[in-house]
Amino acid sequence: MEESSSPPYKGRNMDEPPAFKCDSSSLLSEDQFMCSVCLDEFTDPVTTPCGHNFCKTCLTQYWDNSPHCHCPLCKETFTKRPELKINTTLREVVDHFMKKKGLDKPAVLCDVCTGMKLKAVKSCLNCGLTFCKSHLELHYNVPKLMKHKLINPVENVEDYICQKHERPLELFCREDEMCVCQFCTETDHKTHKTVTIEEESGEKRGTIKIQTQLGKTQSEIQQMIQERLKNMEEIKHSVELRKKITEREIADSIEVFTAMVRSIERSQAELLQVMEEKQKAADRQAEGLIKDLEQEITELKRRDSELEQLSHTEDHIHLLQIYPTMNSPPHTKNWTDISINTDVNVETVRKVLSQLQEKLSETLNTKLKQAVSTELKRCQQYAEDVNLDPDTAHPKLILSDDGKQVTHGDTKQNLPDNPKRFYMYLIVLGKEGFSSGRFYYEVQVKGKTEWDVGVARESVNRKGDITLSPQDGFWTVILRNENQYKACAGPSVPLTLREKPQTVGVFVDYEEGLVSFYDVEARSHIYSYTGQSSAFTEKLYPYFSPCSNDGGKNSAPMIISCMFKTE
């Protein structure tokens, strides 16, 4: 690889630090150039081995007054006291940044200078004075003065000194939330929890850092609040809508079952009436037969009496003349072929039951169609303007210029094999992906003998072998061999449809884990994948496959017909 001959930082004086943007869009903030010990801009900044920056004086005094040599911010302990050297690059950056920000404060002047006062560099809390660079030399050389507490120059040094004990305010009382001196902790704040100002400021500094890293401005937070309030309203609206639908479904169910009960009661009454009429007819028949039997019994008894008398005489001729009726047989019926008709007309019962079943079926189908139509209308409220993504289309798929139609061509097009493109199967996805909420689209499949419709996960395999199943990131319904419909649920589920769908509607509720398919013209439900929330972990894209044109038999295009939200 040929190296560039251009010098670094071309067009800039190499003695100057690199320029930083200081407008509202800058990635740098004043907090990044403040010492966590004195909470002021760095003065002669030095860097610890753990990577944190402090004022040289602040860090030196901190270590002088501490039994251990550790970082004031992260508390990492160093076995050997590091040699501190001023980070000149950071110092130049801080100076340049503060000038750009226009945050340079009016110079604090030395309290010791006579005549023309010089600019102060430090304030001493023990002395109660502010010193310029030359007058501060003694604090760096005299052992007793080296123990004094130095801070960045301030105009009112007394604000940093305990007014009661005239000692530096080096500690912070967390119960009273105020700065105190060492003597205060032995008197008024003896039982209170106190920490060093460095420790307290370090924690607050950490909070500031976290907020800075989050990068959430007030406007962004307000926007997040509004978005969540909107989400709450959508959830409440969805709950209310679902409540109304449920109430309507309950009312419809009650109406259906009430109609069923009434029909059953009417049928039962009709059957009882038929059975009662049969019973009455049998009773009438039995009464007639009994009457006939009684008459025959009377006649037979009479003949029996005559025969009894005849048996005691020998003048048969005379008896026959006296009892001419004995000369002929008695008038009786052949009772072996006579029976009471107690059978109920089975054909009548079957006819009544068939009529009842047909009536109930019509009622149920009507109510079911009304319920599905209502549900489909609700889904259509979430309709999206879906467009086909040419970067995902298999090279043999031909897309219309408006991104609404797709057909299969016999010739493979010369297209770049980008990571998004499907290369083994005739698949194309929608441009828009969805990772929350609800969405709906419709696709016309009229005249086709094979097709696939549904949604797919963003990370599905696009170059190798795939299986249409939720486990592989596909939720689809397919048509094969002109009339074989299946839901590819892994294993596939055969679907029995009364009508051949001309337009298929696809509805997705991301949070609910629901993918439903509808026959738009018939206003009927085709299939639903439910309980898929755990599988919805990334964006879902509308999925289409026109399948092979099969020598022209399946050449009809798939057309996205729902392009806007319905009111």
Side-chain angles (χ1 to χ4, degrees):
M1 179 177 178
E2 185 177 349
E3 296 184 0
S4 172
S5 59
S6 303
Y9 306 107
K10 185 176 180 180
R12 176 176 63 82
N13 187 333
M14 294 303 297
D15 293 332
E16 296 179 357
F20 292 90
K21 291 183 179 180
C22 296
D23 55 18
S24 60
S25 63
S26 173
L27 295 177
L28 301 176
S29 66
E30 183 181 358
D31 292 337
Q32 293 173 274
F33 302 115
M34 292 180 66
C35 173
S36 62
V37 176
C38 64
L39 295 181
D40 209 339
E41 295 86 13
F42 289 126
T43 301
D44 294 336
V46 293
T47 304
T48 61
C50 57
H52 295 118
N53 300 307
F54 306 92
C55 299
K56 182 177 181 180
T57 304
C58 294
L59 188 57
T60 301
Q61 291 182 350
Y62 184 82
W63 283 347
D64 288 343
N65 297 322
S66 175
H68 302 288
C69 184
H70 60 264
C71 174
L73 194 58
C74 70
K75 305 304 181 185
E76 181 177 341
T77 302
F78 311 113
T79 55
K80 181 180 179 181
R81 181 164 176 166
E83 182 181 353
L84 300 177
K85 292 184 179 181
I86 295 175
N87 188 333
T88 56
T89 302
L90 179 58
R91 180 173 63 184
E92 291 173 354
V93 171
V94 171
D95 292 343
H96 185 78
F97 181 83
M98 299 313 295
K99 287 177 182 178
K100 284 286 185 180
K101 289 290 286 186
L103 295 178
D104 282 351
K105 300 177 182 177
V108 178
L109 303 180
C110 178
D111 291 334
V112 183
C113 287
T114 58
M116 183 178 178
K117 293 183 176 293
L118 298 178
K119 181 180 178 181
V121 294
K122 290 291 178 182
S123 294
C124 178
L125 298 183
N126 297 83
C127 300
L129 297 173
T130 300
F131 301 99
C132 64
K133 187 173 182 180
S134 60
H135 287 127
L136 189 63
E137 288 295 329
L138 292 175
H139 282 76
Y140 292 144
N141 300 319
V142 179
K144 187 174 182 180
L145 296 179
M146 288 173 65
K147 296 181 179 180
H148 285 193
K149 179 71 173 178
L150 297 177
I151 63 173
N152 282 343
V154 294
E155 292 184 355
N156 301 313
V157 181
E158 60 272 12
D159 292 341
Y160 297 80
I161 300 174
C162 178
Q163 300 302 310
K164 184 175 182 179
H165 302 110
E166 296 183 353
R167 297 284 295 176
L169 297 171
E170 299 178 298
L171 303 171
F172 183 82
C173 177
R174 287 184 170 173
E175 294 190 22
D176 294 333
E177 295 189 348
M178 61 182 293
C179 296
V180 297
C181 70
Q182 186 65 41
F183 287 170
C184 290
T185 62
E186 299 173 2
T187 54
D188 299 342
H189 300 266
K190 186 175 182 179
T191 60
H192 296 179
K193 182 177 181 180
T194 58
V195 295
T196 63
I197 289 179
E198 290 84 355
E199 183 177 348
E200 182 67 19
S201 64
E203 292 187 7
K204 286 182 167 52
R205 177 98 176 148
T207 303
I208 294 172
K209 275 193 172 184
I210 291 172
Q211 293 172 343
T212 303
Q213 290 169 356
L214 288 175
K216 302 301 181 184
T217 63
Q218 186 176 5
S219 62
E220 289 175 326
I221 293 174
Q222 290 295 329
Q223 183 179 354
M224 291 172 67
I225 292 173
Q226 293 302 319
E227 289 175 354
R228 280 150 181 76
L229 288 174
K230 183 180 178 181
N231 291 339
M232 286 175 58
E233 289 301 319
E234 289 180 353
I235 292 172
K236 289 180 180 178
H237 175 70
S238 177
V239 170
E240 288 298 322
L241 186 60
R242 171 48 61 186
K243 183 178 180 182
K244 291 179 181 178
I245 292 173
T246 301
E247 290 175 350
R248 188 160 55 249
E249 289 175 347
I250 292 173
D252 291 344
S253 299
I254 292 174
E255 184 178 345
V256 169
F257 286 107
T258 300
M260 289 176 62
V261 171
R262 289 174 180 170
S263 297
I264 292 171
E265 289 176 346
R266 284 196 298 270
S267 300
Q268 184 183 24
E270 292 174 2
L271 288 173
L272 290 175
Q273 183 178 358
V274 170
M275 295 174 70
E276 287 176 357
E277 289 176 355
K278 292 288 184 180
Q279 183 63 45
K280 289 179 181 178
D283 291 344
R284 288 195 297 270
Q285 182 186 13
E287 289 177 1
L289 293 175
I290 291 172
K291 187 175 181 181
D292 290 343
L293 286 170
E294 288 177 345
Q295 290 177 354
E296 288 190 7
I297 291 172
T298 302
E299 176 66 18
L300 291 172
K301 285 183 177 180
R302 184 180 65 78
R303 290 215 170 195
D304 182 65
S305 176
E306 291 175 352
L307 289 174
E308 178 66 23
Q309 295 177 20
L310 182 62
S311 64
H312 297 292
T313 180
E314 295 179 355
D315 191 358
H316 296 168
I317 296 175
H318 177 70
L319 288 174
L320 289 174
Q321 290 175 346
I322 296 174
Y323 300 101
T325 56
M326 295 296 293
N327 198 26
S328 60
H331 298 287
T332 59
K333 293 181 180 181
N334 183 7
W335 292 95
T336 58
D337 297 329
I338 296 176
S339 62
I340 305 297
N341 183 13
T342 60
D343 295 334
V344 177
N345 193 329
V346 177
E347 189 60 34
T348 302
V349 176
R350 286 178 179 173
K351 186 177 180 181
V352 172
L353 290 175
S354 178
Q355 291 174 349
L356 172 61
Q357 184 177 5
E358 183 179 354
K359 188 181 298 182
L360 290 177
S361 179
E362 289 177 0
T363 303
L364 286 171
N365 286 336
T366 300
K367 294 300 180 182
L368 182 59
K369 194 167 185 177
Q370 290 174 352
V372 173
S373 180
T374 301
E375 184 69 15
L376 180 57
K377 189 173 182 181
R378 181 185 72 86
C379 294
Q380 288 173 332
Q381 295 176 355
Y382 300 97
E384 295 288 343
D385 185 12
V386 174
N387 298 282
L388 300 173
D389 186 357
D391 290 338
T392 66
H394 185 277
K396 283 192 176 182
L397 293 183
I398 301 173
L399 274 58
S400 62
D401 293 338
D402 62 358
K404 299 296 183 183
Q405 300 187 30
V406 57
T407 55
H408 172 234
D410 293 322
T411 305
K412 182 179 288 188
Q413 304 171 81
N414 186 18
L415 299 174
D417 184 15
N418 61 68
K420 295 170 62 178
R421 191 178 307 284
F422 288 89
Y423 220 76
M424 286 189 65
Y425 296 93
L426 301 173
I427 296 172
V428 60
L429 301 183
K431 274 188 178 181
E432 299 79 14
F434 303 88
S435 56
S436 64
R438 305 175 181 89
F439 68 92
Y440 172 86
Y441 73 89
E442 293 177 356
V443 57
Q444 181 179 311
V445 293
K446 183 178 180 180
K448 296 192 68 61
T449 59
E450 293 189 353
W451 49 257
D452 302 354
V453 172
V455 292
R457 248 191 331 241
E458 184 174 24
S459 63
V460 294
N461 184 8
R462 306 189 186 211
K463 306 301 179 184
D465 194 22
I466 62 175
T467 301
L468 291 181
S469 69
Q471 292 79 7
D472 286 356
F474 298 91
W475 292 265
T476 59
V477 166
I478 67 173
L479 168 64
R480 294 291 183 269
N481 301 322
E482 196 169 350
N483 57 9
Q484 295 177 3
Y485 296 91
K486 297 179 182 179
C488 299
S492 62
V493 178
L495 303 175
T496 302
L497 306 183
R498 291 189 175 184
E499 301 179 36
K500 187 179 181 68
Q502 305 297 305
T503 302
V504 177
V506 183
F507 173 72
V508 177
D509 188 328
Y510 197 96
E511 282 72 22
E512 192 72 18
L514 172 69
V515 182
S516 291
F517 298 82
Y518 298 91
D519 182 338
V520 177
E521 280 79 10
R523 315 299 284 181
S524 61
H525 175 254
I526 297 176
Y527 186 78
S528 285
Y529 292 88
T530 60
Q532 302 294 310
S533 299
S534 59
F536 290 177
T537 56
E538 55 191 81
K539 279 188 177 181
L540 298 179
Y541 288 82
Y543 166 96
F544 310 89
S545 175
C547 298
S548 170
N549 60 26
D550 193 17
K553 295 180 181 178
N554 190 37
S555 60
M558 295 181 76
I559 305 173
I560 301 172
S561 57
C562 186
M563 296 181 290
F564 51 85
K565 296 184 179 181
T566 59
E567 296 297 333

